[in-house]
Amino acid sequence: MTPPKTIKKKHYLLLFMLPAVVWFYFCLPEPLFQTPYSTVLLDQDGKLLGAVVAQDEQWRFPKTDSVPYKFEQSILHFEDRHFYYHPGVNPVSMVKALLQNVQAGKVVRGGSTLSMQVIRLARQGQERTYLEKIYESILALRLDLRYSKAEILQLYVSQAPFGGNVVGLEAASWRYYNRPPHHLSWSETATLAVLPNAPSLIFPGKNHKQLAAKRDRLLDKLVTYDIIDDTTAELAKAEPLPGKPYDLPQKAPHVLTHFAVNNSEGIRAHTTLDEQLHTQVTRVVQNHYNRLKQNEIYNAAALIVDTKSGQVKAYVGNTDDPLFRNENSVDIIQSVRSSGSTLKPFLYAEMQQRGQLLPQALLPDIPTYISGYAPKNFDESFDGAVAADEALARSLNVPAVRMLQDYGVEIFHHDLQTMGFGSINRSAGNYGLSLILGGAEVRLWDLVSNYRKMALSILQHHEPDLELKELSIDQQANNNLKKLPVAAGASWLTLEALRVMDRPIEGSDWRQFNASKTIAWKTGTSFGHKDAWAIGVTPDYVVGVWVGNADGEGRPGLTGASTAAPLMFDIYRKLDGEQWFTKPESDLGLLEVCTRSGYKASMICPETSAIDVSLAGTQTATCPYHERVYLDAQGQFRVNSDCYSVTEMVAKPWFVLPPVMEWYYTSTDPYYKKLPDYAPNCMPQQTLNFDLVYPQPNARLFVPRGFSGEKEYLVFEATHRLSSSTLHWHLNDQYISSTKGVHQVEVQPEAGEHELTLVSESGETLSRKFHVITR
């Protein structure tokens, strides 16, 4: 039986031990280090693309997952050879150090283990006293209980000082040798291993003998313990010591800035960038910049995305100028710029999808006035009528505006917002019809994303199990790639229209962009020549390019065709892949169309052909431009039953465009045949042979005033099928002029309602009302 006094002693002992155990358990801070880190940017293979200094102005990379073998062996044999065997404190080393220091009367040897050095690094600024040494020992014991040896070594390697403002092995390796740690030689590794013990030795031109001596002693020690052989050691001793620190790579500065701004404490950002490809694209952009700056065009950007995975492979946010004289620090890829013509393919695809447009259907390309808005093509000419796919490939503005009017601004505005164009944030009415011609502002990032979605809808049609990855190097980006704008059929028709290489665009002559692969591509130019765009699409890559001045200054000759497209094609020459999209047969239908008009063939269309259309497109209206005309027996004049025997009439289908379309179309199509004249004494049918180009019905017209304050003139215009015919002009029943050939008159109407009347020499009449506003 235990005596009562012994029981009491045990109780007192437990009362004393319990707080000590609790304190010991919680004595280690969590987290151990609260220092800020550099933001480090890595490519898809872990290659360093760039880094920024930490908030405390130290080059300190985030903790690595592993320690290179050479450095592990070097640091252990230099600092703590029994690291893997002691519990955080090595009593034998501490006793030996204490005896030697007492005998010498000063500190000549340290007994700290790597665990204790980790604690000392975490407790920055503490005095080096024996009491502090005891406290460090206790914390080191606790450290070894909480962390594995590998984790403790990683902590040391990440936090050890390497001279100046360099902290951690990885930062030191790049600063002193311009290479990652696992690529260092034994000499370089040994040099870095001895530095934390005396970091001041690294300064160039100073203390090199002492540093070399410490390195060489370590190399000899590695030979002693059979880590390296004598030859390796001798060769290592012959290598030079590091000189002036290297600047860290800055291969993707705008991506690096993005991560640094959004992660103030620093992170190791693993991206999908391909360092080799990104470097090549950067060089291509810079080469074009060197040429463009002769025209005072200083900025350009390029973005390359893997079509299938959505991974960003190259991200060149701007051109490079070390002095940043031309706003080169602006990340153009994320900047909002005028869209130019880059949104036209989405309208084309949506109308294909809904069966509102056929690929080869003729669209009016004539002077157009809609509620005071008068769009013009880039070269200010008109074709009269042009096939829809050609209008898209040539980026004609007038057909695009008329398409948007038919489709609906509100609907298209909603479509664009659904696709993820977050910068299109005003109301549809605020944009109006200019939405399709650059009235909206977009980001290159969003354009590439949505062109990729169009391609992806075709690829998914054949690869339903294709894994989708977010088109983002920023995991916080909200970009739902499963929301595809249109189905595979409409996307394929759109990209087919855009893969024509020879085309006159944006006023340029017919030119051949020499490309070894098939590319669907679209250019765009904003008003005032401020933004030039080019977007290319293949099954392998989507490439987006912007060229211009970041400050918004326009320049003559700054167009998508002349500046952005050549850059885009040069980038594609650096990319692999030769295949084109497989036609999504099940999402398309064959439709018999009128060869001349591109519309669904009617019973009287003389020539037809079968083309691929979207499934909804098979239900479109029939050709509106073919009509049956009746000619005399010789086929020379038109006739009717009032003047000619029905039995002798010859019925013939005839391709007939409305007068205004015909007027411009005849100048571009020499094969167009106008309707024959009526036979003498044969009453014409009630069909006008002329039409008003301007003003449009019920138009509201503004009469401006010149610098002198006097009202200026309005120019009214009409067309007639017969170039020799005369038109008589009347305003409010008052005769004002007669015209022949070119039918234009200048008028200066007062404010208010007016009626314009035209009378042809054959007695045909056309009236149109309009409203005039003056100031």
Side-chain angles (χ1 to χ4, degrees):
M1 189 172 180
T2 305
K5 287 185 178 182
T6 303
I7 295 175
K8 286 183 179 182
K9 288 181 180 179
K10 288 184 178 180
H11 287 171
Y12 289 137
L13 184 60
L14 288 173
L15 288 174
F16 173 78
M17 289 284 293
L18 184 60
V21 171
V22 172
W23 175 85
F24 180 73
Y25 185 84
F26 292 103
C27 67
L28 200 64
E30 182 62 37
L32 188 60
F33 290 92
Q34 298 190 28
T35 51
Y37 293 95
S38 300
T39 293
V40 178
L41 190 70
L42 305 173
D43 87 333
Q44 61 185 7
D45 299 320
K47 297 177 183 176
L48 182 67
L49 296 173
V52 294
V53 72
Q55 285 187 329
D56 60 356
E57 301 301 320
Q58 303 293 306
W59 286 109
R60 184 188 297 106
F61 285 18
K63 184 168 66 72
T64 58
D65 294 331
S66 61
V67 178
Y69 170 78
K70 291 179 183 178
F71 189 81
E72 178 184 9
Q73 294 301 318
S74 297
I75 196 66
L76 292 183
H77 286 84
F78 183 75
E79 291 283 2
D80 190 356
R81 193 161 55 86
H82 301 288
F83 172 71
Y84 285 109
Y85 306 103
H86 61 65
V89 176
N90 188 336
V92 176
S93 294
M94 291 186 69
V95 171
K96 287 182 178 180
L98 179 62
L99 292 176
Q100 289 184 21
N101 293 339
V102 170
Q103 291 175 357
K106 60 180 181 178
V107 177
V108 296
R109 173 178 174 175
S112 297
T113 63
L114 283 178
S115 300
M116 294 173 66
Q117 292 187 49
V118 169
I119 294 298
R120 187 185 312 130
L121 292 171
R123 290 172 53 78
Q124 297 178 15
Q126 298 297 323
E127 294 185 9
R128 303 292 296 275
T129 64
Y130 285 109
L131 187 60
E132 174 65 20
K133 197 80 166 181
I134 293 172
Y135 188 57
E136 287 177 1
S137 301
I138 296 172
L139 293 179
L141 291 170
R142 182 68 186 94
L143 181 71
D144 268 54
L145 289 174
R146 176 178 294 181
Y147 296 99
S148 69
K149 290 292 187 180
E151 290 172 329
I152 295 171
L153 187 59
Q154 289 168 15
L155 286 171
Y156 176 82
V157 168
S158 300
Q159 297 292 335
F162 285 85
N165 66 338
V166 180
V167 177
L169 171 65
E170 191 173 6
S173 179
W174 280 103
R175 286 288 280 163
Y176 299 136
Y177 294 108
N178 200 32
R179 290 196 300 281
H182 56 278
H183 286 172
L184 298 180
S185 68
W186 277 107
S187 173
E188 294 164 340
T189 302
T191 302
L192 294 183
V194 303
L195 269 182
N197 184 264
S200 62
L201 297 181
I202 193 59
F203 291 108
K206 296 181 181 180
N207 307 314
H208 267 205
K209 289 185 178 180
Q210 296 95 313
L211 180 59
K214 290 173 74 78
R215 177 199 65 182
D216 294 349
R217 285 196 296 271
L218 174 56
L219 291 170
D220 290 337
K221 199 170 186 180
L222 293 175
V223 172
T224 301
Y225 288 97
D226 294 327
I227 304 301
I228 59 176
D229 56 33
D230 291 325
T231 302
T232 301
E234 290 305 313
L235 291 173
K237 292 176 183 179
E239 291 184 27
L241 294 173
K244 181 181 177 181
Y246 291 92
D247 292 328
L248 267 69
Q250 296 294 325
K251 296 184 178 180
H254 298 92
V255 182
L256 178 60
T257 299
H258 169 77
F259 281 105
V261 169
N262 289 282
N263 300 276
S264 58
E265 295 301 316
I267 62 168
R268 188 179 296 272
H270 294 270
T271 71
T272 59
L273 294 173
D274 181 327
E275 184 269 340
Q276 182 177 0
L277 176 60
H278 177 85
T279 300
Q280 290 178 331
V281 173
T282 301
R283 190 176 300 117
V284 171
V285 171
Q286 200 65 18
N287 288 340
H288 278 259
Y289 159 73
N290 291 332
R291 175 178 57 84
L292 292 167
K293 68 181 180 182
Q294 306 304 317
N295 188 27
E296 298 182 21
I297 301 171
Y298 298 110
N299 305 105
L303 179 65
I304 301 178
V305 172
D306 183 287
T307 305
K308 296 183 180 68
S309 69
Q311 294 179 348
V312 178
K313 295 303 178 185
Y315 187 114
V316 182
N318 209 326
T319 49
D320 178 41
D321 184 334
L323 301 179
F324 294 115
R325 292 169 295 191
N326 300 294
E327 302 190 47
N328 304 85
S329 60
V330 175
D331 184 355
I332 296 295
I333 291 175
Q334 300 297 342
S335 298
V336 176
R337 311 291 303 195
S338 172
S339 60
S341 298
T342 57
L343 300 178
K344 289 177 183 175
F346 302 113
L347 175 61
Y348 181 91
E350 290 284 4
M351 294 187 74
Q352 296 286 339
Q353 171 86 355
R354 301 188 183 208
Q356 294 178 253
L357 184 69
L358 295 179
Q360 298 169 13
L362 287 180
L363 301 174
D365 182 24
I366 58 177
T368 300
Y369 305 88
I370 305 172
S371 301
Y373 182 54
K376 289 181 171 56
N377 294 323
F378 190 87
D379 58 4
E380 299 189 359
S381 66
F382 302 96
D383 285 2
V386 62
D389 53 2
E390 182 183 342
L392 176 63
R394 292 172 54 192
S395 198
L396 297 177
N397 292 336
V398 173
V401 169
R402 287 177 167 268
M403 287 167 57
L404 181 57
Q405 186 184 33
D406 292 340
Y407 185 72
V409 175
E410 293 80 6
I411 299 174
F412 187 56
H413 177 265
H414 177 265
D415 291 342
L416 293 174
Q417 290 186 325
T418 302
M419 292 177 200
F421 284 101
S423 56
I424 301 178
N425 50 23
R426 300 187 307 238
S427 66
N430 189 278
Y431 294 106
L433 293 170
S434 69
L435 177 62
I436 199 65
L437 299 185
E441 294 181 325
V442 297
R443 297 179 179 88
L444 181 58
W445 181 270
D446 294 333
L447 281 175
V448 170
S449 170
N450 282 285
Y451 274 83
R452 181 209 162 215
K453 291 178 188 178
M454 199 179 297
L456 197 60
S457 68
I458 306 173
L459 295 173
Q460 280 190 306
H461 188 80
H462 299 284
E463 302 179 45
D465 297 327
L466 184 68
E467 180 184 1
L468 292 178
K469 295 184 179 180
E470 193 174 31
L471 176 60
S472 178
I473 46 178
D474 177 5
Q475 296 302 313
Q476 301 302 317
N478 182 17
N479 200 346
N480 182 8
L481 292 184
K482 294 186 178 180
K483 177 59 181 176
L484 303 175
V486 289
S491 294
W492 186 80
L493 292 170
T494 303
L495 297 184
E496 280 289 295
L498 291 175
R499 72 169 178 152
V500 179
M501 295 304 295
D502 288 327
R503 44 174 139 155
I505 52 177
E506 297 173 344
S508 66
D509 296 329
W510 287 88
R511 65 182 296 182
Q512 171 73 42
F513 287 107
N514 296 316
S516 60
K517 52 179 68 68
T518 303
I519 303 168
W521 56 287
K522 182 73 185 72
T523 62
T525 305
S526 69
F527 178 77
H529 299 271
K530 298 179 180 180
D531 305 276
W533 303 89
I535 313 291
V537 181
T538 71
D540 301 294
Y541 296 100
V542 180
V543 176
V545 166
W546 176 93
V547 173
N549 287 312
D551 62 3
E553 179 186 357
R555 293 299 302 164
L558 178 62
T559 68
S562 62
T563 60
L567 172 55
M568 180 198 69
F569 279 100
D570 277 352
I571 290 174
Y572 265 112
R573 293 187 182 99
K574 304 293 182 183
L575 303 176
D576 299 326
E578 301 290 337
Q579 300 300 315
W580 184 241
F581 295 95
T582 303
K583 184 195 299 185
E585 301 281 1
S586 62
D587 207 41
L588 294 168
L590 274 179
L591 180 66
E592 201 75 16
V593 299
C594 173
T595 304
R596 195 69 187 273
S597 72
Y599 281 82
K600 186 177 181 180
S602 68
M603 296 295 294
I604 61 172
C605 286
E607 295 182 24
T608 65
S609 55
I611 66 169
D612 292 302
V613 300
S614 67
L615 295 179
T618 59
Q619 307 303 316
T620 56
T622 57
C623 174
Y625 297 130
H626 272 95
E627 60 182 65
R628 184 175 282 110
V629 299
Y630 295 91
L631 308 176
D632 60 16
Q634 290 74 35
Q636 184 177 1
F637 296 102
R638 278 187 289 170
V639 296
N640 57 50
S641 58
D642 293 333
C643 64
Y644 203 81
S645 171
V646 175
T647 58
E648 295 183 13
M649 290 181 184
V650 177
K652 186 175 182 180
W654 207 278
F655 179 61
V656 183
L657 293 174
V660 179
M661 292 175 65
E662 180 183 87
W663 172 264
Y664 291 95
Y665 189 71
T666 52
S667 64
T668 60
D669 188 344
Y671 300 104
Y672 181 80
K673 293 182 179 180
K674 295 184 178 181
L675 283 169
D677 293 334
Y678 279 97
N681 303 319
C682 201
M683 291 293 294
Q685 296 176 336
Q686 296 303 310
T687 301
L688 288 176
N689 287 301
F690 65 94
D691 197 3
L692 265 169
V693 177
Y694 182 75
Q696 296 293 301
N698 301 313
R700 295 178 64 83
L701 308 180
F702 172 67
V703 180
R705 293 185 182 272
F707 289 109
S708 62
E710 295 195 5
K711 290 189 300 180
E712 296 184 352
Y713 286 88
L714 294 175
V715 179
F716 292 164
E717 183 178 1
T719 62
H720 199 293
R721 293 187 192 278
L722 306 177
S723 59
S724 60
S725 294
T726 299
L727 289 177
H728 306 286
W729 298 71
H730 302 78
L731 185 62
N732 301 327
D733 296 328
Q734 297 293 320
Y735 171 80
I736 56 174
S737 181
S738 294
T739 56
K740 186 175 183 178
V742 177
H743 300 287
Q744 292 181 338
V745 297
E746 289 185 338
V747 294
Q748 199 177 49
E750 299 293 332
E753 298 290 338
H754 298 274
E755 184 174 24
L756 180 67
T757 303
L758 275 70
V759 181
S760 72
E761 59 187 21
S762 62
E764 298 172 303
T765 302
L766 173 64
S767 294
R768 184 159 296 172
K769 292 182 178 181
F770 60 93
H771 184 86
V772 171
I773 303 171
T774 59
R775 291 181 184 175

